[in-house]
Amino acid sequence: GTVTSKLTAVLGISDRRNVVCIENSESLRTVLSAQGFRVVSSPDELMLSDEINEDGDDAPPRLFSVAALFNVLDRCDYPKLLLKSAVSRIEPGGLLLVASVVPFRPLVLEGRRGSKWGEPSLRAPLSPLNIARIPTEVEYPQFEMRLAVILEAILRLHP
């Protein structure tokens, strides 16, 4: 919620109802809703909410001026699909903002902390990005250079 609030301020978005947040965590959805953002739990829910316009007719998907994917490409089962979906919802001239941890290690968290069924576990995504080679600190001592290599690999794989 804090990053979303700061991002809307930086982008000059005053009406938070124009910002749609896709958030899997129920507690974060509650926080974002309380801050005035429109919140859905998945890209599918966003698609379903956009399918019908106010007149009850089919509506084209809503386009956004900015899509931000912060720290999700390494944590979701279908990062290519998420990336493609985000790009398809950006209006011409819009921005795609992507952030990820480096080194890029795709792992999906299953379960919940404090659950009666035990602690969460990590597993590989069902359909990973398949970046052929993750740059090492020895090859690229500067963080920005390692990040640039990863970004270039993603863009080359998923134009």
Side-chain angles (χ1 to χ4, degrees):
T2 305
V3 172
T4 304
S5 293
K6 289 179 181 176
L7 183 60
T8 55
V10 167
L11 295 172
I13 300 169
S14 57
D15 187 354
R16 291 181 171 192
R17 293 173 299 179
N18 290 326
V19 176
V20 180
C21 304
I22 300 173
E23 179 55 60
N24 189 38
S25 163
E26 187 175 342
S27 59
L28 284 177
R29 284 196 306 270
T30 302
V31 168
L32 290 163
S33 289
Q35 293 178 1
F37 296 107
R38 180 177 163 208
V39 184
V40 296
S41 61
S42 69
D44 289 340
E45 186 180 336
L46 176 62
M47 292 295 217
L48 289 173
S49 68
D50 285 347
E51 283 182 358
I52 298 175
N53 64 24
E54 294 158 1
D55 299 327
D57 300 325
D58 287 343
R62 178 178 175 187
L63 298 180
F64 298 93
S65 56
V66 178
L69 301 174
F70 292 158
N71 298 330
V72 295
L73 291 179
D74 60 324
R75 297 189 211 170
C76 67
D77 275 321
Y78 301 98
K80 290 183 265 189
L81 184 60
L82 180 61
L83 198 54
K84 183 178 178 179
S85 177
V87 168
S88 73
R89 300 295 294 269
I90 299 172
E91 63 190 27
L95 296 173
L96 174 64
L97 305 175
V98 178
S100 183
V101 295
V102 174
F104 187 81
R105 291 190 185 117
L107 292 170
V108 176
L109 184 69
E110 281 190 330
R112 297 178 68 161
R113 289 192 173 94
S115 168
K116 63 181 177 183
W117 294 285
E119 289 299 304
S121 61
L122 294 171
R123 63 168 174 77
L126 296 176
S127 179
L129 282 175
N130 292 328
I131 298 173
R133 193 180 61 74
I134 304 296
T136 67
E137 199 167 332
V138 172
E139 294 173 295
Y140 298 94
Q142 293 178 314
F143 170 79
E144 294 83 2
M145 291 304 297
R146 289 193 306 274
L147 192 60
V149 170
I150 291 171
L151 181 58
E152 182 180 355
I154 290 172
L155 293 175
R156 196 173 284 140
L157 282 172
H158 314 288

